[in-house]
Amino acid sequence: MRMEQQPLILTSLTRRFGETCAVDGVSLTIAPGQFVGVIGRSGAGKSTLLRLINRLIDPSEGRITHGEIEVTKLKGFALRQWRRDCAMIFQQFNLVERLDVLTNVLVGRLAGHGPLDSLLMRFTDAERTIAISALDRLDLASQALQRAGTLSGGQQQRVAIARALVQEPKIMLADEPIASLDPGNATRVMDALRSINRDDGLTVLVNLHTLDTARSYCDRIVAMRAGRVMFDGTPRQMTDDVVRDIYGAEGLAEFNESVTSTAAAPARPRVPA
Ligand SMILES: Nc1ncnc2c1ncn2[C@@H]1O[C@H](COP(=O)(O)OP(=O)(O)OP(=O)(O)O)[C@@H](O)[C@H]1O
Ligand SMILES: [Mg+2]
């Protein structure tokens, strides 16, 4: 897999929804190959930030560049190419449950096919080989022909990662990928992201809701509140005191909740950031 060499630079990035400033003047330079955790309470702007990066939504102001590429100006084919370069994985996996696991992974290749191939789900043998090796890497090769809907949540999320991998992205964006998982599955999913980061050199940006996970996996933690970056540093610098300063005692308690209690309440209440 190719090594990515370009920094991702966000400059004064802002996105408003009516009166709400979801992302408010965010400037960040993300070095290639970095593993960045974005934390923040519900409504802080974490998902909006990732969606701006892969251009699912457009900024109100500011710009994004990736090396020579002016991401915020991309249109048409170049925009589709950029979306392929930034794979996105979500809390709810977004698999097609009635299709088998292998086909779900192959969906990651669809962007490179014409409409008829896509409609008929026609793939080459080489693509099948790539998909099977991605599944094998995520320890799911023996489930390749099983219906995706019959897998556990953790397995489904690993299928989603395999689907993202066959896209051959440069950047992996993950929006709370472990928020619906029990601790064992959460660890396997985070380990898979770490392996992609370390072994393939992919830049990983992951939104997380638990501090211990951010501290154990990320090179860098960005903490958001009300659309703004309140902290940007190493896990070691992100002490409980810093967290309390930014989010208060209540926020600290919320971040230190175990992954188990997050999994027990999948629909987190939306509280103001
Ligand atoms: N499409 C939209 N339309 C209107 N408001 C939006 C939209 N998307 C996000 N917002 C608002 O922007 C703010 C940031 O939302 P965002 O989803 O980015 O937060 P988040 O940090 O991902 O929260 P959570 O932890 O709950 O996922 C919130 O106030 C939200 O209500
Ligand atoms: Mg979110």
Short mmCIF file of all heavy atoms in Angstrom, two decimals, residues 17 20-23 40-49 51 175-176 207 209 268 270, ligand 1:
data_model
loop_
_atom_site.label_atom_id
_atom_site.label_comp_id
_atom_site.label_asym_id
_atom_site.label_seq_id
_atom_site.Cartn_x
_atom_site.Cartn_y
_atom_site.Cartn_z
N PHE A 17 -24.53 26.18 10.89
CA PHE A 17 -25.87 25.68 10.53
C PHE A 17 -26.83 26.67 11.16
O PHE A 17 -27.05 26.62 12.37
CB PHE A 17 -26.12 24.28 11.10
CG PHE A 17 -25.25 23.20 10.51
CD1 PHE A 17 -24.18 22.68 11.23
CD2 PHE A 17 -25.51 22.69 9.24
CE1 PHE A 17 -23.39 21.68 10.68
CE2 PHE A 17 -24.73 21.69 8.70
CZ PHE A 17 -23.65 21.17 9.42
N THR A 20 -26.15 28.08 14.69
CA THR A 20 -25.13 27.24 15.34
C THR A 20 -23.83 27.26 14.56
O THR A 20 -23.82 27.03 13.36
CB THR A 20 -25.62 25.77 15.38
OG1 THR A 20 -26.92 25.75 15.94
CG2 THR A 20 -24.69 24.89 16.21
N CYS A 21 -22.75 27.53 15.29
CA CYS A 21 -21.45 27.44 14.65
C CYS A 21 -20.86 26.08 15.06
O CYS A 21 -20.31 25.92 16.14
CB CYS A 21 -20.56 28.59 15.12
SG CYS A 21 -19.23 28.89 13.97
N ALA A 22 -21.06 25.08 14.20
CA ALA A 22 -20.68 23.71 14.55
C ALA A 22 -19.17 23.55 14.60
O ALA A 22 -18.64 22.85 15.46
CB ALA A 22 -21.28 22.74 13.53
N VAL A 23 -18.47 24.19 13.66
CA VAL A 23 -17.00 24.20 13.65
C VAL A 23 -16.62 25.66 13.50
O VAL A 23 -17.11 26.35 12.61
CB VAL A 23 -16.45 23.33 12.50
CG1 VAL A 23 -14.97 23.59 12.28
CG2 VAL A 23 -16.69 21.84 12.79
N GLY A 40 -14.53 15.36 22.48
CA GLY A 40 -15.42 16.48 22.75
C GLY A 40 -16.77 15.91 23.13
O GLY A 40 -17.10 14.80 22.71
N ARG A 41 -17.52 16.67 23.89
CA ARG A 41 -18.84 16.18 24.31
C ARG A 41 -19.80 16.26 23.12
O ARG A 41 -19.48 16.84 22.08
CB ARG A 41 -19.34 16.98 25.50
CG ARG A 41 -18.34 16.85 26.67
CD ARG A 41 -18.79 17.65 27.86
NE ARG A 41 -19.92 17.01 28.53
CZ ARG A 41 -20.60 17.57 29.53
NH1 ARG A 41 -20.29 18.79 29.94
NH2 ARG A 41 -21.59 16.92 30.09
N SER A 42 -20.96 15.69 23.31
CA SER A 42 -21.95 15.69 22.23
C SER A 42 -22.21 17.12 21.75
O SER A 42 -22.41 18.02 22.57
CB SER A 42 -23.23 15.05 22.77
OG SER A 42 -24.13 14.91 21.73
N GLY A 43 -22.18 17.31 20.45
CA GLY A 43 -22.45 18.64 19.90
C GLY A 43 -21.21 19.51 19.76
O GLY A 43 -21.30 20.65 19.29
N ALA A 44 -20.04 19.00 20.13
CA ALA A 44 -18.81 19.80 20.09
C ALA A 44 -18.35 20.11 18.67
O ALA A 44 -17.55 21.02 18.45
CB ALA A 44 -17.70 19.09 20.86
N GLY A 45 -18.81 19.31 17.70
CA GLY A 45 -18.43 19.58 16.30
C GLY A 45 -17.51 18.52 15.70
O GLY A 45 -17.00 18.70 14.60
N LYS A 46 -17.36 17.39 16.39
CA LYS A 46 -16.43 16.35 15.93
C LYS A 46 -16.85 15.76 14.58
O LYS A 46 -16.05 15.65 13.66
CB LYS A 46 -16.35 15.20 16.97
CG LYS A 46 -16.04 15.66 18.37
CD LYS A 46 -16.00 14.50 19.35
CE LYS A 46 -17.32 13.79 19.60
NZ LYS A 46 -18.36 14.63 20.23
N SER A 47 -18.12 15.37 14.48
CA SER A 47 -18.58 14.77 13.22
C SER A 47 -18.54 15.80 12.09
O SER A 47 -18.15 15.48 10.97
CB SER A 47 -20.02 14.25 13.35
OG SER A 47 -20.07 13.25 14.33
N THR A 48 -18.93 17.02 12.40
CA THR A 48 -18.91 18.06 11.38
C THR A 48 -17.49 18.24 10.86
O THR A 48 -17.28 18.39 9.65
CB THR A 48 -19.48 19.38 11.95
OG1 THR A 48 -20.79 19.13 12.47
CG2 THR A 48 -19.56 20.47 10.89
N LEU A 49 -16.51 18.21 11.75
CA LEU A 49 -15.12 18.37 11.33
C LEU A 49 -14.73 17.27 10.33
O LEU A 49 -14.16 17.55 9.27
CB LEU A 49 -14.20 18.34 12.56
CG LEU A 49 -12.74 18.64 12.27
CD1 LEU A 49 -12.54 20.11 11.91
CD2 LEU A 49 -11.86 18.30 13.48
N ARG A 51 -16.71 15.44 8.50
CA ARG A 51 -17.51 15.57 7.27
C ARG A 51 -17.00 16.71 6.39
O ARG A 51 -17.10 16.64 5.17
CB ARG A 51 -18.98 15.77 7.64
CG ARG A 51 -19.60 14.49 8.25
CD ARG A 51 -20.82 14.81 9.09
NE ARG A 51 -21.89 15.34 8.27
CZ ARG A 51 -22.75 14.61 7.58
NH1 ARG A 51 -22.68 13.31 7.62
NH2 ARG A 51 -23.69 15.17 6.87
N ASP A 175 -15.63 8.06 12.61
CA ASP A 175 -16.52 8.84 13.48
C ASP A 175 -17.10 7.96 14.58
O ASP A 175 -18.05 7.23 14.36
CB ASP A 175 -17.64 9.47 12.64
CG ASP A 175 -18.35 10.58 13.39
OD1 ASP A 175 -18.01 10.83 14.57
OD2 ASP A 175 -19.25 11.20 12.80
N GLU A 176 -16.50 8.02 15.74
CA GLU A 176 -16.91 7.20 16.90
C GLU A 176 -17.08 5.73 16.53
O GLU A 176 -18.15 5.14 16.70
CB GLU A 176 -18.20 7.76 17.52
CG GLU A 176 -18.01 9.23 17.89
CD GLU A 176 -18.77 9.65 19.12
OE1 GLU A 176 -18.99 8.79 20.00
OE2 GLU A 176 -19.14 10.82 19.18
N ASN A 207 -12.76 10.19 15.87
CA ASN A 207 -13.55 10.84 16.91
C ASN A 207 -13.82 9.82 18.00
O ASN A 207 -14.28 8.72 17.71
CB ASN A 207 -14.91 11.30 16.37
CG ASN A 207 -14.78 12.49 15.45
OD1 ASN A 207 -13.73 13.09 15.38
ND2 ASN A 207 -15.86 12.81 14.74
N HIS A 209 -15.11 9.09 22.23
CA HIS A 209 -15.88 9.63 23.34
C HIS A 209 -15.32 9.21 24.69
O HIS A 209 -15.84 9.56 25.73
CB HIS A 209 -17.35 9.20 23.18
CG HIS A 209 -18.28 10.20 23.75
ND1 HIS A 209 -18.89 10.03 24.96
CD2 HIS A 209 -18.67 11.40 23.30
CE1 HIS A 209 -19.62 11.09 25.22
NE2 HIS A 209 -19.51 11.93 24.22
N ARG A 268 -26.78 8.01 22.90
CA ARG A 268 -26.38 8.95 23.94
C ARG A 268 -27.26 10.19 23.87
O ARG A 268 -27.56 10.69 22.79
CB ARG A 268 -24.93 9.37 23.76
CG ARG A 268 -23.98 8.42 24.44
CD ARG A 268 -22.57 8.94 24.38
NE ARG A 268 -22.03 8.86 23.05
CZ ARG A 268 -21.85 9.92 22.27
NH1 ARG A 268 -22.18 11.12 22.67
NH2 ARG A 268 -21.35 9.77 21.08
N ARG A 270 -28.22 13.94 23.67
CA ARG A 270 -27.45 15.08 23.15
C ARG A 270 -27.53 16.21 24.16
O ARG A 270 -28.57 16.78 24.38
CB ARG A 270 -28.03 15.53 21.81
CG ARG A 270 -27.93 14.48 20.73
CD ARG A 270 -28.32 15.07 19.40
NE ARG A 270 -27.29 15.96 18.92
CZ ARG A 270 -26.24 15.54 18.20
NH1 ARG A 270 -26.12 14.27 17.90
NH2 ARG A 270 -25.34 16.39 17.79
N1 LIG B 1 -26.94 19.06 9.33
C1 LIG B 1 -27.07 19.83 10.41
N2 LIG B 1 -28.04 20.74 10.52
C2 LIG B 1 -28.15 21.54 11.59
N3 LIG B 1 -27.32 21.49 12.64
C3 LIG B 1 -26.34 20.61 12.62
C4 LIG B 1 -26.14 19.73 11.51
N4 LIG B 1 -25.06 18.94 11.77
C5 LIG B 1 -24.61 19.32 12.97
N5 LIG B 1 -25.36 20.31 13.49
C6 LIG B 1 -25.15 20.98 14.78
O1 LIG B 1 -23.78 21.30 14.88
C7 LIG B 1 -23.27 21.05 16.19
C8 LIG B 1 -22.13 20.07 16.11
O2 LIG B 1 -22.65 18.79 15.74
P1 LIG B 1 -21.74 17.51 15.53
O3 LIG B 1 -22.63 16.43 15.06
O4 LIG B 1 -20.59 17.88 14.68
O5 LIG B 1 -21.22 17.23 17.00
P2 LIG B 1 -20.47 15.96 17.59
O6 LIG B 1 -19.31 16.49 18.37
O7 LIG B 1 -20.18 15.01 16.50
O8 LIG B 1 -21.52 15.35 18.61
P3 LIG B 1 -21.84 13.82 19.00
O9 LIG B 1 -20.81 13.44 20.04
O10 LIG B 1 -23.21 13.86 19.58
O11 LIG B 1 -21.76 12.99 17.77
C9 LIG B 1 -24.45 20.58 17.00
O12 LIG B 1 -25.02 21.69 17.64
C10 LIG B 1 -25.41 20.04 15.95
O13 LIG B 1 -26.73 20.10 16.38
#
